[in-house]
Amino acid sequence: MCLSQLASQIAVIFLLMLLGALARQLGFLSPTTINDLTNLVLYFLSPLVIIKAFLAPFPVTRLKIFCLTLVGVVITYLVTILLAKLAFAKVKDANLQRIATYGSIYSNNGFMGIPLAQALFGSTGVFYGVVSMVGFNAFTWTHGVAMCQPPLTKVSGL
């Protein structure tokens, strides 16, 4: 893959987004329609692309690379969590600190990542791109949820 191919695919995605924004401005798409199209992509089209990627032949080497990539994703999240904690440790407002930390750690990797991986690398790219989504979901529903909970307070008299 060359850099021009990557830039070309990103440009196509941004042109499609621009087309959608223009269609909205001209009144062709209502907010309800936009919401429905987003749900269609999130709940039907993206899962189908992922399922298709996993239906490909599955040699052992592909599983090994998948697992190594998953280890890399986990290490990346752990390092990012540490760096975000250090970067926002001096923020006095606890809510602002949690929001800034969470926003620094967790990205929206699936919505744009899957189409870009599909465009650049086909089903193989989607297969390995899903590893990032697995890590994202595991960390956001454990660490992410935990960090957004209010701190526990001591109950006196127990």
Side-chain angles (χ1 to χ4, degrees), residues 31-119:
T32 303
T33 305
I34 293 169
N35 190 39
D36 292 341
L37 289 173
T38 300
N39 287 338
L40 179 71
V41 169
L42 279 176
Y43 298 118
F44 294 101
L45 297 179
S46 289
L48 288 174
V49 170
I50 292 169
I51 289 168
K52 180 181 178 249
F54 276 80
L55 290 176
F58 207 83
V60 175
T61 56
R62 194 172 192 194
L63 180 62
K64 287 179 184 176
I65 294 170
F66 186 91
C67 291
L68 284 173
T69 306
L70 185 60
V71 168
V73 167
V74 168
I75 290 169
T76 301
Y77 272 114
L78 293 174
V79 169
T80 306
I81 289 168
L82 177 66
L83 291 175
K85 279 188 175 206
L86 293 172
F88 299 108
K90 294 183 180 183
V91 175
K92 302 274 189 252
D93 183 353
N95 287 329
L96 182 60
Q97 184 183 49
R98 282 192 289 241
I99 292 167
T101 303
Y102 184 89
S104 297
I105 298 168
Y106 301 105
S107 67
N108 181 4
N109 65 347
F111 193 71
M112 292 298 292
I114 291 175
L116 188 58
Q118 177 69 34

Side-chain angles (χ1 to χ4, degrees), residues 1-10:
M1 175 199 65
C2 63
L3 197 53
S4 64
Q5 184 183 8
L6 176 64
S8 169
Q9 292 301 325
I10 291 173

Side-chain angles (χ1 to χ4, degrees), residues 116-127:
L116 188 58
Q118 177 69 34
L120 291 172
F121 306 109
S123 290
T124 303
V126 173
F127 178 82

Side-chain angles (χ1 to χ4, degrees), residues 81 85 101-102 105-106 138-148:
I81 289 168
K85 279 188 175 206
T101 303
Y102 184 89
I105 298 168
Y106 301 105
F139 273 89
T140 199
W141 287 107
T142 54
H143 172 261
V145 169
M147 71 180 283
C148 292

